[in-house]
Each structure stands twice: as C-alpha cells, then as structure tokens.
Amino acid sequence: MSPSMEGDEAMPAAPYEGWLAAHPPPRRVRLFALPPTSSDYAVEDWLKLPETGERIELIDGSFVVSPMPAFPHALCAGRLRQILIEAAPEAFEVVATGNLEVGEDGLIPDILIGRAEAMLADVTILAAADTVCVVEVVSRRRDYEVKPPKYAAVGIPVFIRVELEGGPRVEVFELGEQGYELVAEAKAGTVLTLDQPFPISFDPAVLVGTRSR
C-alpha cells in the first residue's frame, strides 16, 4: 500500500514499490487509421474520418490538422456568428466550423453562411453552390494565402476576414472577375456596414474584450 503522511512527514517524490506495475503508462496510439491510398486523399476519404475533436481539413490532397483556437479567437468567432444570426433572413443559416466542399478540398471556415434549404437537408458537407459567405478569423498564414483563392475559385460570393492582432479589423471581400475584391473594412471604434450577404452594421470592437450587456 502507499505510505501515508503522518504529522510533518514529507510525501516521497518516487512512487511506492509496485505502483508503476499497477499503473503502467498509456501506450501511444494513433487517433485514427488513414484510409490507404496510392495518390492524394479525396473529399470522400475526408468524410470517412472519425470525429476527434480537432479541426481536420483536406487541402491539396493532404489532411491538415489544427488545434482548437485560442479563446480570443473562439470568442470573436462566436460573437460575430451571433451578430450574423440576428441579421440573417430566414432563407439563410449561420453555423460555426461547418464542413465545406471547395473543389477537391474539404475546408472548415470559422463561420459558414449557407442557404437554409440545403443546410436543413441533413447533409454532412455543404456544397459551394449553396454557400453565400465564409468567415475566417486569422490564426494562420493559410487564412491569407491558401483559403481565399480556393473560396473564390468555386464562386463563393462573399469572404470576410477578421484580424485580431492590432485590431480587431474586419475586411469584407466580394467576388469579382479577378477573384475577391475588398469592398469594406473597419477597425474598432468605427461602424462596418454591409449589403451582402445581407444588410448588417456593427462596430468590430464588440468582437473582443468584455462582453457588453
């Protein structure tokens, strides 16, 4: 049995004899087995992955695993989603981290706005054709360099990017002939007013800091 503490007796730093035998360290295991493939992974492979609590995206034929975002990132995304929900017409639904088919990629935006009819149809992944807007709260370079061109290539009309560092700053892009074009931006202390994907106005300051009541 484990030695007990009596009076001022110090607890030993090492476990008692036999403790390690009774409590072996956990074996290293893989979270899931990847489906075998002789080429790049496809969206079908991505959809077969089990839920692990991590964000796993399919980018250029490879699975990219990201940890859960920091709390300021998560709070910002949650507050913006609530603003969008309150402004959205019934024809649209707003979700956080939904599966989105982007050509041969499977991406997970921080916020996804799609047509309600498609999103209520018990689907696992939303088609780009049923998507009207995606939002990324910047945490990695691919939020600048990789994801926006892919969203534009499949015709998603509106892309919103939120920069927390030195901000918050919200940038709104609409799809043009050469890809996304910046149509509006605002920092904390100013009001951002949009017509697309639906009319909405807010001060980016509400996305961070103490929650207003």
Side-chain angles (χ1 to χ4, degrees):
M1 296 180 62
S2 174
S4 61
M5 295 181 63
E6 296 181 2
D8 295 330
E9 181 182 353
M11 178 177 290
Y16 67 92
E17 184 178 357
W19 189 93
L20 287 176
H23 303 82
R27 298 175 58 186
R28 303 185 78 181
V29 297
R30 300 178 67 178
L31 292 178
F32 53 83
L34 292 175
T37 179
S38 57
S39 58
D40 292 342
Y41 290 104
V43 171
E44 291 75 14
D45 302 316
W46 181 56
L47 294 177
K48 294 176 183 178
L49 297 179
E51 295 183 9
T52 65
E54 298 169 299
R55 183 180 298 193
I56 304 175
E57 297 178 289
L58 175 66
I59 300 178
D60 296 331
S62 299
F63 295 127
V64 178
V65 183
S66 303
M68 298 302 291
F71 282 109
H73 180 290
L75 289 170
C76 172
R79 292 176 186 180
L80 180 53
R81 175 175 175 257
Q82 187 59 40
I83 291 172
L84 294 169
I85 287 174
E86 293 174 357
E90 291 184 359
F92 301 108
E93 289 290 346
V94 185
V95 299
T97 61
N99 295 329
L100 177 60
E101 186 172 7
V102 182
E104 297 182 352
D105 298 310
L107 303 183
I108 304 177
D110 287 309
I111 302 173
L112 174 61
I113 305 176
R115 305 186 192 284
E117 183 178 1
M119 298 178 75
L120 295 173
D122 194 27
V123 295
T124 303
I125 185 170
L126 190 67
D130 293 314
T131 305
V132 297
C133 178
V134 289
V135 180
E136 295 289 357
V137 180
V138 174
S139 58
R140 295 169 180 82
R141 288 182 60 184
R142 60 177 174 265
D143 295 328
Y144 286 107
E145 300 174 357
V146 177
K147 288 189 170 185
K150 290 181 179 293
Y151 292 144
V154 294
I156 296 175
V158 182
F159 170 61
I160 298 176
R161 183 166 57 211
V162 183
E163 174 63 71
L164 293 179
E165 185 174 351
R169 184 176 77 253
V170 180
E171 300 173 313
V172 182
F173 301 83
E174 292 184 8
L175 193 60
E177 293 182 0
Q178 303 300 319
Y180 284 129
E181 300 174 354
L182 182 66
V183 295
E185 60 180 325
K187 295 182 179 181
T190 60
V191 176
L192 179 70
T193 300
L194 306 178
D195 294 325
Q196 299 296 330
F198 36 75
I200 188 170
S201 295
F202 66 95
D203 182 342
V206 303
L207 302 179
V208 299
T210 304
R211 176 164 48 89
S212 59
R213 295 183 181 275

